[in-house]
């Protein structure tokens, strides 16, 4: 492709609103433009990257028996009402009415439509298993679209859905997906971790997330270098450092006045103690009324963990706290409180300072188990340096981008949408489903996050918009132009994807743009072709350069590309 006839609007400056490197570089390299908040146009180079990525995804989905379909973007409300999600999903769902005032929504995901198809087309155990997938546009009115294409309100997703007779069948398709996903992310050149996650709004029996390391990520994972444990911090199990030297338990409790000290920090400053010697008390409203949740003062409560322990809840309002405890939030504590109490495992031992359920008062010498009874559960956030929940070695915590996930859905959607089959005994049974997503745009952005330098992108070969950047230093110099034109023909004729920078621009501009675009190999036709009859082939990643005669270029380029492809993709040992 000739640059002079293409739309590749590179920019010298970073866009003002961009923070993530991938966002800056995708805009500067002319891959995308923002039409509105979280809504993007993919320009030719961006589209080529997406095409490369989706081609890899398609190959790997087909290899595990996936059948490609396309489902609509517009859905009738009835499907989502039947599953219950019309009510449970809030503003994230785009809703609209048609001319007859019928409710519709824009598809955020397609479990309901899949169950609808299955309810009509799957009849017997002989029709199962099935694996259906699509690469299609999703619409979500995200609360905070940000970081370029990493979180947008319209985005392409590969979503696949497995349908099985039973859990054993689901396990097989789930494992096939796990492996296919690893191949996809390996082939796209990502460093990533596969982590156990929280099924969230999907509901179900297990899920994993594929997390690519990047400071632009919104998620955090806890990773153990010793045993390979990897989990989202939302749910990661850890053994926090001991809370320091506990004072020996006193025979009884002692009240201490704590005027104006409401937060843990204020209480600690007043009493001259470490936060780890205090209990943090939080009142929440669960399904059966108020619950007091406790963590050690130096720890943070993780909502997902509490939800796992007590089911859905919300923070209590001030008046609900007052009604349940008789005091304002800052003085609440577990001793003598007649409501359900759930405490983090760290609090099984020790002797603490806690709120006294009296205004401006705390209790010293509180011993869990002696002074109050509680259920215990893992409620605390895993921090870097905590012991691994599995082996005890120190955990690292890393920022990551979720590039894909896999869920064991079970029968939630098949039951509510009546997707059933007749088993060998003629018994009606709900189809067992799995659902699996990948965001190609996030793969592209994560690849840039992990592969760039001060000058621009360094594309992994497999997903680069072109393989070769052919650059003529002076398009008006006859010898240079002649050689470059011939190389364009030869390289393209050899089946290589070539971007030919034939513009009449200053060499400095062209070299800068080449680095910014980051194609794997640059072939430069410059003054050396006039003097010595050679052109230069340069590898973007390493800067290695070789000089060859024009006739050798196709062979050498092929070899260099092949070499890199043959190299094992660098991948985290997790
Ligand atoms: P997140 O927790 O980041 O919001 P999610 O759990 O909502 O993601 P899924 O609904 O499971 O994600 O979607 C599957 C995949 O689609 C994700 O792993 C991600 O790669 C991609 N994806 C999800 N939301 C977005 C978005 N707003 N913009 C771009 N890609 C997205
Ligand atoms: Mg989401």
């Amino acid at each position: 492709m000739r640059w002079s006839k293409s739309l590749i609007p590179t920019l010298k400056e970073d866009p003002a609103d961009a923070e993530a490197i991938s966002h800056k570089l995708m805009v500067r390299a002319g891959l995308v433009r923002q039409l509105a908040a979280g809504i993007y146009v993919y320009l030719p180079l961006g589209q080529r990257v997406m095409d490369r990525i989706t081609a890899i995804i398609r190959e790997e989905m087909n290899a595990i028996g996936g059948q490609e379909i396309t489902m609509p973007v517009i859905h009738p409300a009835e499907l989502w009402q039947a599953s219950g999600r019309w009510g449970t999903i809030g503003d994230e769902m785009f809703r609209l009415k048609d001319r007859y005032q019928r409710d519709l929504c824009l598809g955020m995901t397609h479990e309901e439509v899949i169950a609808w198809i299955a309810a009509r087309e799957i009849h017997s155990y002989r029709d199962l298993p099935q694996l259906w997938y699509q690469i299609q546009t999703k619409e979500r009115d995200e609360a905070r679209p940000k970081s370029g294409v990493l979180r947008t309100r319209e985005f392409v997703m590969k979503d696949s859905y497995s349908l099985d007779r039973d859990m054993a069948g689901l396990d097989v398709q789930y494992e096939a997906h796990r492996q296919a996903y690893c191949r996809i992310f390996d082939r796209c050149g990502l460093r990533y971790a596969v982590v156990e996650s929280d099924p969230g709004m999907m509901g179900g029996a297990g899920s994993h997330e594929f997390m690519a390391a990047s400071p632009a990520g919104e998620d955090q994972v806890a990773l153990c270098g010793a045993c390979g444990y990897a989990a989202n911090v939302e749910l990661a199990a850890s053994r926090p450092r001991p809370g320091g030297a506990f004072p020996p338990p006193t025979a009884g409790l002692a009240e201490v006045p704590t005027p104006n000290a409401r937060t843990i920090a204020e209480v600690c400053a007043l009493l001259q103690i470490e936060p780890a010697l205090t209990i943090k008390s939080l009142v929440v409203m669960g399904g059966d009324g108020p619950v007091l949740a406790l963590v050690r003062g130096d720890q943070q409560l993780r909502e997902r963990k509490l939800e796992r322990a007590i089911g859905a809840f919300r923070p209590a309002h001030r008046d609900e706290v007052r009604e349940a405890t008789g005091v304002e939030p800052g003085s609440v504590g577990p001793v003598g409180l007649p409501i359900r109490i759930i405490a983090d495992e760290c609090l099984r031992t020790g002797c603490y300072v806690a709120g006294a359920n009296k205004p401006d008062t705390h209790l010293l010498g509180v011993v869990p188990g002696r002074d109050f009874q509680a259920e215990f559960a893992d409620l605390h956030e895993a921090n870097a340096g905590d012991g691994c929940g599995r082996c005890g070695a120190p955990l690292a915590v890393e920022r990551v981008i979720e590039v894909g996930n896999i869920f064991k859905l079970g029968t939630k959607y098949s039951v509510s949408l009546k997707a059933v089959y007749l088993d060998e005994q003629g018994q009606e049974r709900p189809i067992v489903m799995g659902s699996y997503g990948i965001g190609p745009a996030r793969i592209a952005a994560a690849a840039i996050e992990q592969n760039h330098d001060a000058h621009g992108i360094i594309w992994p070969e497999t997903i680069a918009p072109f393989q070769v950047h052919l650059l003529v230093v002076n398009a008006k110099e006859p010898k240079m132009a002649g050689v470059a034109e011939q190389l364009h023909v030869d390289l393209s004729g050899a089946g290589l994807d070539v971007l030919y920078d034939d513009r009449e621009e200053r060499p400095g501009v062209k070299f800068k743009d080449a680095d910014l675009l980051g194609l794997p190999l640059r072939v430069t036709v410059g003054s050396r072709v006039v003097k010595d009859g050679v052109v230069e082939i340069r590898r973007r990643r390493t800067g290695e350069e070789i000089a060859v005669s024009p006739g050798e270029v196709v062979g050498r380029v092929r070899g260099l590309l092949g070499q890199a492809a043959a190299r094992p993709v660098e991948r985290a040992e997790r």
Side-chain angles (χ1 to χ4, degrees), residues 89 173 220 240 337:
I89 296 176
Q173 297 224 59
Q220 286 180 290
L337 204 64

Side-chain angles (χ1 to χ4, degrees), residues 344-398:
D344 181 58
E345 271 157 2
C346 292
L347 296 174
R348 279 185 193 276
T349 55
C351 176
Y352 300 90
V353 172
N357 300 320
K358 269 190 189 175
D360 293 332
T361 313
H362 277 72
L363 285 175
L364 304 182
V366 175
V367 177
R370 182 192 75 181
D371 299 321
F372 68 91
Q373 298 304 317
E375 301 158 49
F376 287 93
D378 175 2
L379 300 180
H380 64 268
E381 172 176 287
N383 286 308
D386 283 1
C388 166
R390 200 195 277 164
C391 78
L395 284 177
V397 172
E398 248 188 80

Side-chain angles (χ1 to χ4, degrees), residues 73-93:
V73 173
I74 294 196
H75 302 180
E78 289 76 32
L79 288 187
W80 291 77
Q81 284 157 351
S83 72
R85 289 206 282 190
W86 184 263
T88 53
I89 296 176
D91 291 341
E92 205 181 337
M93 184 187 273

Side-chain angles (χ1 to χ4, degrees), residues 140 142 149-152 155 157 402-405 407 437-439 442:
R140 296 182 182 179
E142 297 276 359
V149 301
L150 282 171
R151 182 170 297 282
T152 52
F155 59 97
M157 192 197 288
E402 181 201 307
V403 285
N405 56 34
F407 290 95
I438 285 187
R442 284 201 188 166

Side-chain angles (χ1 to χ4, degrees), residues 329-467:
S331 305
V332 173
V335 179
L337 204 64
I339 63 172
R340 182 175 176 192
I341 301 177
I342 182 149
D344 181 58
E345 271 157 2
C346 292
L347 296 174
R348 279 185 193 276
T349 55
C351 176
Y352 300 90
V353 172
N357 300 320
K358 269 190 189 175
D360 293 332
T361 313
H362 277 72
L363 285 175
L364 304 182
V366 175
V367 177
R370 182 192 75 181
D371 299 321
F372 68 91
Q373 298 304 317
E375 301 158 49
F376 287 93
D378 175 2
L379 300 180
H380 64 268
E381 172 176 287
N383 286 308
D386 283 1
C388 166
R390 200 195 277 164
C391 78
L395 284 177
V397 172
E398 248 188 80
R399 276 210 166 269
V400 290
I401 296 168
E402 181 201 307
V403 285
N405 56 34
I406 55 179
F407 290 95
K408 289 186 185 176
L409 290 177
T411 56
K412 177 175 182 308
Y413 297 94
S414 46
V415 167
S416 55
L417 285 138
K418 304 196 175 48
V420 296
Y421 72 98
L422 294 178
D423 71 9
E424 280 162 290
Q425 281 74 45
Q427 278 259 329
E428 197 174 272
R429 295 191 182 281
I431 295 171
V432 178
M433 287 174 57
S435 124
Y436 316 85
I438 285 187
R442 284 201 188 166
I443 294 182
I448 295 175
E449 291 285 333
Q450 295 181 355
N451 299 281
H452 66 269
D453 62 15
H455 308 291
I457 303 170
I458 304 175
W459 285 110
E461 263 178 36
T462 46
I463 63 173
F466 291 91
Q467 296 166 294

